[in-house]
Amino acid sequence: MVPGGTVSVPGAAPPGYGHLARPETTVPRNAPFAAEPAIRPQPLQDPEALLGRPPNEEPPLYVPLQPELEETQTGRFLFSVGVNSDLGVVGSFVIDEQNFDWTRLPRSWEDIRNATAFRGAGQRFRFEAMPGTQVQRYTINFTEPYLMDTRVSLGLSGHYYERRFYEWDESRAGGRVALGYQFVPDLSGTLTYRGENVKVFNPIVPPGVIPDLDEVLGASTLHGFRAGLSLDKRDNTFLATEGYLLDVGFEQVIGTFSYPRADFDFRKYFLLRQHPDGSGRHVLSLSTRMGVSGDDTPLYDHYFAGGFSTIRGFDFRGASHRVHGFTVGGHFMLLNSIEYLFPITADDTLRGVVFCDTGTVEPKISDWTDKYRVSPGFGLRITIPAMGPAPIALDFAFPVVKEDGDDRQVFSFFVGFLR
């Protein structure tokens, strides 16, 4: 129907139009052949949209849509057992919820059965238990990303950690409180407090051999206050192929020991080429990490290097400063790495990497050129859909610049996104 009491009859060409131009024409409703349709279709075009348009121009098409929203799965329950070059044999039990609501208590068993209890506010909750042969870690985290509907975020966490190092055993129990502010989508700042009770026991050497170890034996308490700034321009937080990340921070620690710490982390990613559909990406990445700590820093907060997350080609902490042949780390750390990632299979489940890790850990910043290590290598990244998006990393590295006493390890493996 059109205004004026007429019926549209498609296909009838009025005078002045050829047989190729088939606009709608109108005839009076009372014409003999103008039968009333049983069901009157609703036009998808706005009649007013035809005014002022050339005959050969298509008018806009209005389609009535009714959106239907369905909440996606926000919770995960994970259980796994694995082996890691730095951590040994470990198990993992994780409960993760990205739409948590601590105020939505269950009012009946039905709320628990249909998963409506403790859900709906966009908060994040994570519990992780990770028992293992060399390390045990238990953590609980809560994050409110928009505190009181503002750009301020609140993070609360508690942890218990126990690790068996070669020179000593160590346990930590404590928690963190963090306030963050999102200045712009890519720039954020954080203020963090950490409190820890640290115990060092079972030393491998008798008293007097390593003075830094003697002064931390037993229990000590730390209270750290940190301010940080992060600029994140990466296209993907977990598996970046373009952009960069800049993170800087300063922390003042008080308690049994008092010392400052400053850290710097910069990572740059270059997308060299890709397929038209976005797969098959070739990525070149550069990274630099530096840390400086005060002279009164206790042994358990020293910097260490060696292993998959720092310098491949060396055992865990195997490229660190030593005293009488025992690893004690240092107050200064500098790590640099270059890596080229390329696809091997068409579906990107198998990728290859070539890399070169360099760096050192020394007692003072002035000593950083004395024992600088260089370790090139190659490896594979395997993505198994049943195990999630985190790839399995298998790397072979061969130190070409090393120091006497360094512990070398050609092969390393890891499961995760970031080193």
Side-chain angles (χ1 to χ4, degrees):
M1 293 287 294
V2 295
T6 59
V7 178
S8 299
V9 179
Y17 286 91
H19 69 281
L20 296 179
R22 300 171 63 88
E24 292 185 349
T25 59
T26 58
V27 297
R29 176 177 293 278
N30 57 2
F33 55 88
E36 181 74 12
I39 300 178
R40 188 174 303 169
Q42 296 294 327
L44 296 180
Q45 294 176 347
D46 183 0
E48 295 183 0
L50 300 173
L51 300 178
R53 291 181 175 272
N56 60 345
E57 181 177 331
E58 290 290 337
L61 183 65
Y62 295 91
V63 179
L65 298 178
Q66 182 176 357
E68 295 183 2
L69 302 180
E70 182 178 350
E71 184 174 356
T72 186
Q73 179 179 347
T74 59
R76 296 185 301 167
F77 176 81
L78 305 175
F79 176 78
S80 63
V81 178
V83 182
N84 186 289
S85 295
D86 294 348
L87 305 178
V89 180
V90 294
S92 179
F93 172 82
V94 177
I95 299 176
D96 185 86
E97 174 58 60
Q98 299 295 309
N99 190 24
F100 189 70
D101 185 354
W102 70 273
T103 64
R104 194 167 185 176
L105 301 176
R107 291 169 292 184
S108 65
W109 175 253
E110 185 66 17
D111 290 347
I112 299 177
R113 191 185 67 83
N114 59 24
T116 58
F118 297 109
R119 298 182 70 209
Q123 301 160 351
R124 302 165 190 162
F125 173 84
R126 181 182 178 90
F127 170 79
E128 180 178 8
M130 192 179 75
T133 57
Q134 298 181 30
V135 61
Q136 297 187 58
R137 185 177 65 200
Y138 305 90
T139 61
I140 184 170
N141 296 276
F142 170 82
T143 302
E144 170 55 78
Y146 302 101
L147 185 63
M148 300 176 66
D149 294 327
T150 66
R151 294 185 180 182
V152 178
S153 63
L154 171 66
L156 304 174
S157 67
H159 63 268
Y160 175 79
Y161 167 89
E162 186 173 303
R163 176 70 194 248
R164 295 179 180 178
F165 299 108
Y166 177 75
E167 291 82 4
W168 70 86
D169 293 345
E170 177 184 320
S171 68
R172 299 184 182 223
R176 291 175 182 263
V177 179
L179 287 174
Y181 185 80
Q182 198 81 22
F183 298 101
V184 293
D186 300 322
L187 179 64
S188 62
T190 56
L191 295 175
T192 306
Y193 162 77
R194 66 164 172 139
E196 287 186 311
N197 181 267
V198 184
K199 294 182 180 180
V200 176
F201 52 97
N202 292 339
I204 195 174
V205 295
V209 177
I210 306 177
D212 287 347
L213 180 57
D214 295 339
E215 69 178 9
V216 298
L217 288 177
S220 55
T221 302
L222 300 180
H223 302 277
F225 303 87
R226 184 182 186 274
L229 197 64
S230 179
L231 179 61
D232 193 348
K233 292 283 188 177
R234 296 173 296 176
D235 60 341
N236 189 291
T237 304
F238 301 107
L239 194 59
T241 60
E242 290 183 286
Y244 63 88
L245 169 67
L246 174 63
D247 191 279
V248 294
F250 176 82
E251 182 182 35
Q252 178 61 50
V253 181
I254 60 176
T256 306
F257 301 92
S258 180
Y259 53 96
R261 292 173 70 90
D263 51 86
F264 171 89
D265 188 355
F266 178 74
R267 307 177 187 214
K268 175 65 176 176
Y269 302 88
F270 302 90
L271 177 59
L272 304 183
R273 61 192 180 95
Q274 63 178 336
H275 295 154
D277 62 356
S279 63
R281 294 192 168 193
H282 293 245
V283 182
L284 178 68
S285 61
L286 307 173
S287 67
T288 295
R289 284 184 286 169
M290 184 174 66
V292 182
S293 193
D295 294 336
D296 196 33
T297 304
L299 178 61
Y300 50 75
D301 255 6
H302 282 189
Y303 295 107
F304 297 88
F308 179 83
S309 60
T310 52
I311 306 179
R312 288 164 285 191
F314 296 90
D315 197 3
F316 179 65
R317 292 189 168 186
S320 305
H321 178 66
R322 295 173 179 270
V323 173
H324 302 302
F326 297 100
T327 303
V328 296
H331 298 163
F332 174 75
M333 177 189 71
L334 177 63
L335 302 173
N336 295 287
S337 181
I338 180 171
E339 183 172 289
Y340 174 55
L341 175 71
F342 56 92
I344 296 178
T345 59
D347 59 357
D348 288 340
T349 58
L350 181 63
R351 298 180 176 92
V353 294
V354 291
F355 59 85
C356 184
D357 294 342
T358 69
T360 188
V361 169
E362 300 298 334
K364 298 180 180 179
I365 190 173
S366 58
D367 302 328
W368 76 271
T369 58
D370 294 347
K371 300 178 180 179
Y372 197 80
R373 284 84 167 176
V374 179
S375 180
F378 62 91
L380 297 173
R381 299 292 180 267
I382 306 171
T383 302
I384 302 176
M387 297 178 60
I392 299 174
L394 308 174
D395 288 340
F396 297 85
F398 309 91
V400 295
V401 179
K402 54 187 181 298
E403 295 297 323
D404 295 337
D406 286 349
D407 294 330
R408 287 171 288 173
Q409 179 179 278
V410 173
F411 177 67
S412 62
F413 50 96
F414 189 81
V415 178
F417 293 97
L418 300 177
R419 293 182 56 238

